[in-house]
Amino acid sequence: MSIVTTIILGLCITFIIIYITINIDKFKPKKRSEHQDLIDSIHAKIAKANGASMKQYSLENLSIENTKKQDFYAKVEFVNKNCTNLEDFIINDEINEFDLLKLADLNGIDLQIRSGWFPLVIELIKKLNAYGWNKKVTCIKEKYAGLRFHAECVYGDTISNIVEKYENKSQNVCETCGEPGEIRSNSGWDYVACRKHYLENRGKITIVERGFNLNDNFFPWKDIKNANFEDLMGRDKYNFLNIQFNNQIVRHAGWEDRKLYISKYVMGFGNFLNHLPKSINNLDYSYIENFKNLEYCKICGYQAVYFDECECCENETWNSYIKTWRVKNEEMEEKKLSHHHYKQLKWAMHKDDVFESTQNNYPKNPNHKILYTEKELKEHLESFES
């Protein structure tokens, strides 16, 4: 072998080694996360809590084979029940969710939204029809907590602008019931929910004699073996508390063991931490100290503020806000009043607070000051409905 050939071969080998070193992750086998089953179950729980249902008909029926769909349609009455092609599809004031499903079928797509958005999308297709839309759509789904409706159009034309308006509007409509809502991001899943359905999804933990209840399931203090805080979403070291029991069996989606995972988003989490026994192995009690001094929230009025965040309405305190946004001193009082005013309006738009006041975790401040007027609240609600 000549010297030149040896040098070239040596350079090639060196290049290969450098490439593999730089891109080592590409050559590693992909491992399933240790907690992926748990994360999947969390996502499934959220989907179930916000799952669509048309009375006894669920979204599970939307992916069935065409032959089965004929049987599905035979059980109900709707305008386009006997429609077999897109050209003959009727759009009028009488169409309902089954017509919407039929429109998706005729376009060869699945209807991938929950029932709370059905009226919104029906209203959308009526608007589009009034402007000569050809009824062709390649996608009707939820993505990143927003409606995605892909109609044939040119960007910036009337059809495109109408679709964009309704896609934006969807971000303030509960996917479950259609009431005013907002984007929620707990447990690593973005979705739109009103306060009622969001709180149902958050769950509830309360202290009872000799233990605690998590969503009405009882767990005794005496059976706790150890506990530690974990990061299951790759964002926050303390977003889950993992409790291991000696005997208590915990049933999860698809399996059961002696471990209980409690999300920090659960209603009553701070109160629960303050009641944990003082002798649990591996538990970071220094973190729990942050939950000792409760303050009243300026937004919702409940005594649920732990280290600059309200566990009840999930708004940060003003002190935390100014640290994040670096508000100037000369703007301080004006900005503070405006900030609380706006946040209270957002909180009030979800109607009454029975879901907080009845779950017995947070006392209400008797001197809580409401900064908005009834007229402002009405205008605020109307702005989301327009």
Side-chain angles (χ1 to χ4, degrees):
M1 183 182 294
S2 67
I3 295 177
V4 174
T5 303
T6 303
I7 293 173
I8 293 174
L9 182 60
L11 289 173
C12 290
I13 294 173
T14 302
F15 174 79
I16 293 171
I17 293 173
I18 293 173
Y19 178 81
I20 293 175
T21 302
I22 295 174
N23 299 277
I24 188 66
D25 290 338
K26 293 182 179 180
F27 298 93
K28 290 180 178 180
K30 293 184 178 180
K31 296 181 179 180
R32 183 174 176 82
S33 168
E34 178 183 355
H35 302 292
Q36 191 60 48
D37 286 333
L38 174 64
I39 294 171
D40 290 345
S41 72
I42 294 167
H43 288 180
K45 175 187 174 185
I46 294 173
K48 182 178 180 180
N50 294 274
S53 62
M54 298 181 288
K55 297 181 181 178
Q56 70 269 37
Y57 308 102
S58 72
L59 276 177
E60 294 175 359
N61 291 316
L62 304 185
S63 299
I64 57 181
E65 299 174 358
N66 288 332
T67 53
K68 294 182 180 179
K69 280 184 179 178
Q70 298 306 317
D71 296 333
F72 170 73
Y73 286 133
K75 300 176 183 178
V76 293
E77 293 298 327
F78 56 102
V79 173
N80 291 283
K81 181 171 183 176
N82 299 314
C83 182
T84 58
N85 61 78
L86 199 57
E87 291 74 20
D88 296 331
F89 187 84
I90 298 171
I91 299 177
N92 60 23
D93 290 337
E94 305 301 321
I95 61 173
N96 60 23
E97 58 264 37
F98 295 100
D99 293 284
L100 186 59
L101 175 57
K102 192 63 172 285
L103 177 65
D105 286 344
L106 294 174
N107 276 283
I109 63 173
D110 287 332
L111 185 61
Q112 301 176 60
I113 58 173
R114 302 179 185 123
S115 60
W117 282 358
F118 289 168
L120 182 72
V121 177
I122 290 172
E123 183 181 322
L124 168 59
I125 66 175
K126 289 178 182 178
K127 288 273 190 182
L128 295 177
N129 187 60
Y131 286 91
W133 174 51
N134 62 8
K135 306 172 191 173
K136 293 182 179 180
V137 55
T138 58
C139 172
I140 306 176
K141 69 177 182 180
E142 177 274 335
K143 185 175 182 180
Y144 302 129
L147 172 66
R148 297 295 184 269
F149 190 98
H150 297 170
E152 283 195 1
C153 59
V154 177
Y155 179 75
D157 67 6
T158 303
I159 300 297
S160 172
N161 290 337
I162 293 173
V163 169
E164 183 179 3
K165 175 184 176 181
Y166 277 82
E167 287 182 339
N168 292 334
K169 192 174 181 179
S170 70
Q171 297 178 337
N172 292 300
V173 177
C174 177
E175 297 179 51
T176 304
C177 66
E179 289 293 314
E182 62 183 90
I183 296 176
R184 316 289 186 169
S185 301
N186 68 319
S187 301
W189 181 289
D190 289 346
Y191 61 100
V192 187
C194 62
R195 185 188 300 175
K196 175 180 182 294
H197 289 107
Y198 173 56
L199 293 177
E200 285 182 1
N201 175 62
R202 281 182 70 181
K204 179 177 68 175
I205 188 167
T206 52
I207 307 303
V208 294
E209 186 178 359
R210 298 190 301 278
F212 63 94
N213 283 334
L214 177 61
N215 298 330
D216 299 323
N217 294 311
F218 174 72
F219 298 92
W221 297 127
K222 67 179 183 179
D223 199 31
I224 295 178
K225 181 178 181 181
N226 56 54
N228 61 284
F229 293 101
E230 291 191 36
D231 171 17
L232 300 186
M233 298 301 164
R235 295 181 301 189
D236 183 348
K237 179 181 178 182
Y238 295 112
N239 57 25
F240 276 86
L241 176 64
N242 172 11
I243 298 180
Q244 298 181 40
F245 297 98
N246 288 310
N247 301 301
Q248 182 91 2
I249 300 298
V250 182
R251 289 180 173 81
H252 308 282
W255 87 99
E256 59 183 39
D257 55 21
R258 289 187 171 86
K259 293 183 180 180
L260 177 67
Y261 294 87
I262 305 176
S263 168
K264 72 173 186 178
Y265 295 102
V266 170
M267 296 287 288
F269 185 69
N271 184 48
F272 163 71
L273 292 184
N274 281 317
H275 284 81
L276 284 169
K278 305 300 182 183
S279 57
I280 299 177
N281 294 330
N282 301 323
L283 189 59
D284 184 357
Y285 286 97
S286 63
Y287 173 69
I288 297 177
E289 288 297 316
N290 291 301
F291 293 80
K292 295 296 182 184
N293 300 314
L294 287 74
E295 298 176 6
Y296 285 116
C297 178
K298 301 292 185 181
I299 311 303
C300 67
Y302 286 97
Q303 192 177 26
V305 176
Y306 307 95
F307 53 100
D308 284 337
E309 184 177 351
C310 178
E311 182 185 299
C312 182
C313 68
E314 299 181 295
N315 283 295
E316 60 183 338
T317 64
W318 174 247
N319 287 336
S320 176
Y321 179 82
I322 61 177
K323 289 176 185 176
T324 303
W325 298 103
R326 300 178 183 178
V327 179
K328 296 179 181 178
N329 289 334
E330 58 268 25
E331 300 175 336
M332 193 71 74
E333 286 305 314
E334 182 180 350
K335 288 274 188 179
K336 180 179 181 180
L337 188 63
S338 176
H339 172 80
H340 287 154
H341 178 270
Y342 174 72
K343 291 293 185 179
Q344 282 191 7
L345 273 176
K346 284 195 67 177
W347 178 247
M349 72 175 286
H350 299 294
K351 300 183 179 179
D352 64 62
D353 57 6
V354 64
F355 303 104
E356 292 83 13
S357 60
T358 58
Q359 49 74 49
N360 299 322
N361 278 312
Y362 315 121
K364 187 72 176 278
N365 184 356
N367 299 316
H368 179 57
K369 293 182 180 180
I370 302 299
L371 301 177
Y372 59 84
T373 65
E374 288 299 318
K375 180 181 178 182
E376 287 175 324
L377 177 58
K378 181 180 178 182
E379 292 174 347
H380 187 69
L381 288 169
E382 288 174 348
S383 69
F384 283 96
E385 295 171 356
S386 62

